[in-house]
């Protein structure tokens, strides 16, 4: 049984929402960041990093307090408004290839602790601690955890009808996305939606494992204060068939002392190798891998006799680590080894070709994306994916909804 709650959101006024919301802070180059901060006084980037030009010269404590003060400034200046009662929201994101629709709600720390909300990624403790401190000092969160629920025709039909009503937001962004938000505010609607989720036995985190772990840690440390808002964290709940899962491709700086011919010979022990020459080839199905090396693309087909019954050992990202990255290229730590970098699968594989051709990297590997059934199977068995296994959309706009603690 899954528990969701409405909450008293703080959000931009409708006339400013397109100016306020922004992409994730890390998605901006230094030049883009400077431009937005210079020319858009309403951008939520001013709240996220109010001391942008001097961020390396101040302590984290001062930076977090600066975020809290700037957020209060936005509220006092009427850029943000607060709901007068707890509500849910229905949110739709449309890009040129797909649309995503889900519910913005509070989800239960208790469900998270009891594995009703399931995880498939490991977390880094220092990142969990960092974001916990951020939440504690700033007193708000605007980055919901992306959570999937099983496809549900009853909910789908309700969503279709709800979209016929007037949205509270209807705007476009400079990356050519259209955003619409509907408020779910009547007592009957709220109760009905909660009842539907109570029928769902398990939810799955798609993206936001560090955010949910930080919310749990903050709850554990501050629950004695009696703040009911700490019992929940903001989530964006979406049907599992509606998420888009991309792979993360890998580029490596060197061959760990192997010559090209020796490296190909070692690969042939576990893969059938086909030289695709200049063809921009990428994997077409599971157990297939692409490789770009010395100006040639290669198709690598994992040999049938190597396949294992284990869910984790049959994961393509794990196979690449177990058979290539760790034993041949000597990469033990996928998170911290400076010899490996990651390219989201939504980027063209020509990006990998360009990076290798420029000489900073020697080899690139392309993977076939995991599907939701693999993610769920891993979570159900308390197994953890290798780092950077999936790049999942949709991505939520910062500053669209604020959950105050």
């Amino acid at each position: 049984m899954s528990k969701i709650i409405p909450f008293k959101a703080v959000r931009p006024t409708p006339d400013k929402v397109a100016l306020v919301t922004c992409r994730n802070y890390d998605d901006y180059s230094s030049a883009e960041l400077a431009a937005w901060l210079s020319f858009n006084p309403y951008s939520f980037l001013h709240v996220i990093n109010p001391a942008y030009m001097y961020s390396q010269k101040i302590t984290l404590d001062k930076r977090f307090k600066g975020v809290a003060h700037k957020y209060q400034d936005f509220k006092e200046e009427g850029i943000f408004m607060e709901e007068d009662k707890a509500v849910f929201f229905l949110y739709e994101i449309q890009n040129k290839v797909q649309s995503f629709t889900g519910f913005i709600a509070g989800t239960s720390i208790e469900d998270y602790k009891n594995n009703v909300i399931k995880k498939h990624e490991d977390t880094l403790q220092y990142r969990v601690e960092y974001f916990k401190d951020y939440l504690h000092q700033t007193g708000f969160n605007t980055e919901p955890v992306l959570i999937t629920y099983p496809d549900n025709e009853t909910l789908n039909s309700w969503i279709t009808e709800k979209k016929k009503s007037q949205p509270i937001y209807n705007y476009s962004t400079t990356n050519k996305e259209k955003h619409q938000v509907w408020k779910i505010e009547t007592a009957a609607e709220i109760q009905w939606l909660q009842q539907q989720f109570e029928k769902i036995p398990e939810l799955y985190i798609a993206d936001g494992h560090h955010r949910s772990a930080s919310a749990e840690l903050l709850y554990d440390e501050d629950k004695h204060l009696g703040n009911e808002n700490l019992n929940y964290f903001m989530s964006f709940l979406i049907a599992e068939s509606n998420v888009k899962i991309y792979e993360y491709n890998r580029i490596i700086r060197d061959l760990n002392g192997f010559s090209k011919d020796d490296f190909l010979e070692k690969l042939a022990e576990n893969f059938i190798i086909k030289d695709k020459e200049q063809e921009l080839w990428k994997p077409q199905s599971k157990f297939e891998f692409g490789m770009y090396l010395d100006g040639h693309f290669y198709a690598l087909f994992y040999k049938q006799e190597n396949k294992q019954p284990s869910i984790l050992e049959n994961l393509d990202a794990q196979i690449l680590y177990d058979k290539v990255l760790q034993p041949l290229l000597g990469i033990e730590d996928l998170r911290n080894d400076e010899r490996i970098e990651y390219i989201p699968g939504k980027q063209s594989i020509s990006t990998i070709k360009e990076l290798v051709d420029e000489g900073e990297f020697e080899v690139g590997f392309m993977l076939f994306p995991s599907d939701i059934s693999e993610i769920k199977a891993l979570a159900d068995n308390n197994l953890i994916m290798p780092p950077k296994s999936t790049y999942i959309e949709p991505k939520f706009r910062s500053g669209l909804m604020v959950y105050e603690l």
Side-chain angles (χ1 to χ4, degrees), residues 231-298:
N231 296 343
Y232 303 89
F233 55 90
M234 183 169 64
S235 294
F236 184 33
L237 299 124
I238 188 168
E240 59 188 38
S241 66
N242 197 207
V243 297
K244 176 66 176 175
I245 304 173
Y246 296 92
E247 74 282 9
Y248 262 110
N249 296 314
R250 281 89 161 107
I251 47 177
I252 319 296
R253 297 186 190 279
D254 59 69
L255 293 182
N256 197 32
F258 283 104
S259 68
K260 173 187 171 181
D261 289 341
D262 288 344
F263 184 62
L264 288 172
E265 184 179 336
K266 294 296 290 184
L267 283 178
E269 294 175 8
N270 291 298
F271 302 90
I272 298 168
I273 303 173
K274 293 187 179 179
D275 189 346
K276 295 291 185 177
E277 300 181 352
Q278 304 306 308
E279 180 186 347
L280 289 170
W281 191 86
K282 62 187 301 184
Q284 306 301 304
S285 63
K286 185 172 171 56
F287 298 120
E288 296 179 6
F289 302 83
M291 181 176 71
Y292 183 69
L293 174 64
D294 194 29
H296 282 225
F297 282 91
Y298 295 87

Side-chain angles (χ1 to χ4, degrees), residues 12-229:
T13 57
D15 64 312
K16 297 183 181 69
V17 62
L19 294 169
V20 172
T21 65
C22 60
R23 306 195 310 271
N24 183 282
Y25 177 81
D26 293 331
D27 288 347
Y28 292 88
S29 67
S30 296
E32 277 186 298
L33 192 59
W36 277 107
L37 290 168
S38 295
F39 297 110
N40 181 3
Y42 297 112
S43 174
F44 197 70
L45 291 168
H46 288 284
V47 176
I48 298 171
N49 202 354
Y52 165 67
M53 297 302 292
Y54 312 101
S55 60
Q56 302 305 314
K57 301 177 183 178
I58 61 175
T59 64
L60 283 178
D61 184 62
K62 286 185 177 179
R63 182 180 173 189
F64 293 161
K65 287 179 179 176
V67 171
H69 289 150
K70 192 64 178 177
Y71 171 62
Q72 291 302 321
D73 288 346
F74 267 45
K75 291 176 71 175
E76 291 170 8
E77 292 168 10
I79 298 170
F80 279 126
M81 56 181 284
E82 184 174 1
E83 294 291 339
D84 56 9
K85 63 179 182 179
V87 298
F88 292 122
F89 298 94
L90 181 69
Y91 178 31
E92 180 184 67
I93 307 168
Q94 294 181 21
N95 59 34
K96 60 185 177 182
V97 296
Q98 190 172 353
S99 67
F100 307 94
T101 303
F103 300 99
I104 304 171
T107 45
S108 167
I109 292 287
E110 184 179 354
D111 283 355
Y112 179 82
K113 286 179 172 290
N114 293 332
N115 214 28
V116 173
I117 299 175
K118 297 194 170 187
K119 313 93 179 166
H120 70 267
E121 284 186 8
D122 206 355
T123 55
L124 295 172
Q125 190 59 30
Y126 81 90
R127 285 186 61 191
V128 173
E129 293 272 358
Y130 175 91
F131 195 60
K132 181 266 297 180
D133 291 341
Y134 175 91
L135 294 174
H136 179 78
Q137 294 275 16
T138 64
F140 73 87
N141 179 31
T142 186
E143 298 181 9
V145 176
L146 182 64
I147 290 180
T148 66
Y149 61 84
D151 283 68
N152 183 307
E153 280 304 316
T154 301
L155 284 173
N156 289 345
S157 297
W158 188 91
I159 288 170
T160 300
E161 286 302 310
K162 186 66 178 179
K163 286 182 180 179
K164 294 176 182 177
S165 63
Q166 184 70 25
I168 59 170
Y169 292 144
N170 186 356
Y171 70 100
S172 295
T173 55
T174 53
N175 59 347
K176 298 183 178 179
E177 288 182 345
K178 182 180 179 182
H179 300 259
Q180 293 188 88
V181 178
W182 294 263
K183 191 191 295 189
I184 304 167
E185 59 181 330
T186 69
E189 283 182 312
I190 289 171
Q191 183 180 27
W192 181 86
L193 190 58
Q194 288 179 309
Q195 289 172 346
Q196 298 310 305
F197 273 88
E198 285 172 2
K199 299 174 186 176
I200 299 173
E202 297 157 336
L203 301 172
Y204 293 82
I205 296 177
D207 192 24
H209 287 78
H210 284 89
R211 295 192 290 277
S212 53
S214 297
E216 179 190 30
L217 185 57
L218 183 65
Y219 167 83
D220 289 341
E221 291 188 3
D222 290 354
K223 60 186 176 183
H224 65 279
L225 299 176
N227 181 354
E228 281 294 313
N229 288 353

